[in-house]
Amino acid sequence: MRTGRSALVAALSGALALGAFTVQPAHAAATGIKVSNVVVNKGKPMVVGTSDTKYPTVSYRVTWPAGYTISTATTNPFMYHGTTPAKAYKASGNQLFHADTITCYEDGTRAANCQGTLRIRPRENLDSAKDATTWKLGAVAFLEKKGGKIDHEYLSTSGTLQVKRAARATVNASPEPVVKNRTLTVTGKLTRADWAKRTYAGYGNKLAKLQFRKAGTSTYTTVKTVRANSSGNLKTTVKATVDGYWRWTFGQTATTGGATAAGDYVDVK
């Protein structure tokens, strides 16, 4: 049953960072507000490049003490890593992932179910490879008392989000066309997001699979596995027997997303 929407949280779409929050808490104290049942991005990692803004989903349940309503007991979620939510918020500034849109509905039991999105802007929120790690969901709880006094506290939650560096793979097979049973040279390059330099840099020493798909079919088969050099460059040779597509591919790791090159078609004469 939806008995009331949080006008405060819903109205601050795109501006829920505490730096933009107009009500400044006057007193740090335990509020009695609790956050539970947290799910961030449906439990999946978020792969982030160097420029595109990402919006991981978030949902949670919030409860508050007797005598208050959703308009006087509110939560402001954010993601942090490396320390407690209070220390992280005070020290990290823009490096936190703040809420983009959050809407909360009361259910009639001094509780509300909330859902919405967080916002990751890589050029503002990420500046080091160390940011490719597990982020935690925290929240600032606000309790507005009679007379306008506002208590607040920083809450820890069970919510986490694994943030990974986006990666890319390229491929080039030559010569094109190639004489049947002659040698085909397949090159490529592996790169991944460098958040400090705001660009994609070579993904050195990474293992990648060389795959082939025969023309007229839909399935790629792994031909061999090759390790990139220190700059992320790949090179190998194969025998050309039939027309088809060649590509490099590799899977994700704890810190980096996977990547697959678009197939490069080679005509065999």
Side-chain angles (χ1 to χ4, degrees):
M1 176 177 64
R2 295 178 175 179
T3 60
R5 190 172 77 160
S6 170
L8 170 67
V9 177
L12 290 177
S13 172
L16 273 174
L18 271 186
F21 198 75
T22 57
V23 178
Q24 296 300 317
H27 181 61
T31 61
I33 297 173
K34 305 295 183 184
V35 174
S36 61
N37 300 344
V38 180
V39 178
V40 181
N41 206 42
K42 299 181 179 179
K44 300 178 180 179
M46 177 60 72
V47 179
V48 184
T50 60
S51 58
D52 290 347
T53 302
K54 298 293 184 178
Y55 298 93
T57 59
V58 62
S59 62
Y60 57 92
R61 182 172 175 80
V62 58
T63 60
W64 53 83
Y68 297 90
T69 67
I70 197 169
S71 62
T72 56
T74 60
T75 52
N76 185 349
F78 63 92
M79 301 214 74
Y80 67 99
H81 71 84
T83 183
T84 66
K87 290 181 180 179
Y89 193 90
K90 295 173 183 177
S92 298
N94 286 338
Q95 286 188 275
L96 303 176
F97 304 158
H98 291 290
D100 186 66
T101 58
I102 300 291
T103 304
C104 297
Y105 290 93
E106 291 187 72
D107 64 7
T109 62
R110 298 203 318 274
N113 295 310
C114 304
Q115 60 184 8
T117 57
L118 302 164
R119 183 184 64 243
I120 305 175
R121 290 175 173 162
R123 292 184 179 274
E124 296 178 8
N125 307 139
L126 305 170
D127 63 9
S128 167
K130 293 181 180 179
D131 290 330
T133 187
T134 300
W135 291 66
K136 307 169 188 176
L137 187 80
V140 187
F142 295 90
L143 193 67
E144 184 178 352
K145 297 185 174 182
K146 292 181 179 179
K149 179 181 179 182
I150 298 175
D151 288 344
H152 80 286
E153 66 176 320
Y154 296 90
L155 304 177
S156 299
T157 80
S158 62
T160 61
L161 175 66
Q162 185 71 29
V163 177
K164 300 186 178 186
R165 299 161 68 179
R168 295 173 176 172
T170 62
V171 65
N172 182 60
S174 63
E176 299 178 56
V178 63
V179 176
K180 186 174 182 178
N181 292 324
R182 292 288 181 89
T183 298
L184 187 69
T185 300
V186 186
T187 60
K189 188 175 181 66
L190 309 182
T191 58
R192 59 177 172 174
D194 184 331
W195 294 324
K197 296 180 179 179
R198 312 303 183 193
T199 188
Y200 280 78
Y203 192 1
N205 303 309
K206 175 67 178 175
L207 285 173
K209 295 178 180 179
L210 177 64
Q211 296 185 330
F212 177 73
R213 175 169 67 86
K214 183 179 178 180
T217 67
S218 59
T219 303
Y220 277 91
T221 300
T222 298
V223 176
K224 62 172 67 174
T225 300
V226 177
R227 187 178 297 277
N229 67 13
S230 60
S231 299
N233 296 310
L234 294 160
K235 184 177 182 180
T236 191
T237 57
V238 293
K239 181 182 289 188
T241 57
V242 295
D243 299 347
Y245 300 83
W246 295 91
R247 72 181 187 184
W248 294 104
T249 184
F250 61 91
Q252 64 179 333
T253 68
T255 63
T256 306
T260 299
D264 184 19
Y265 180 77
V266 176
D267 182 20
V268 178
K269 299 294 188 179

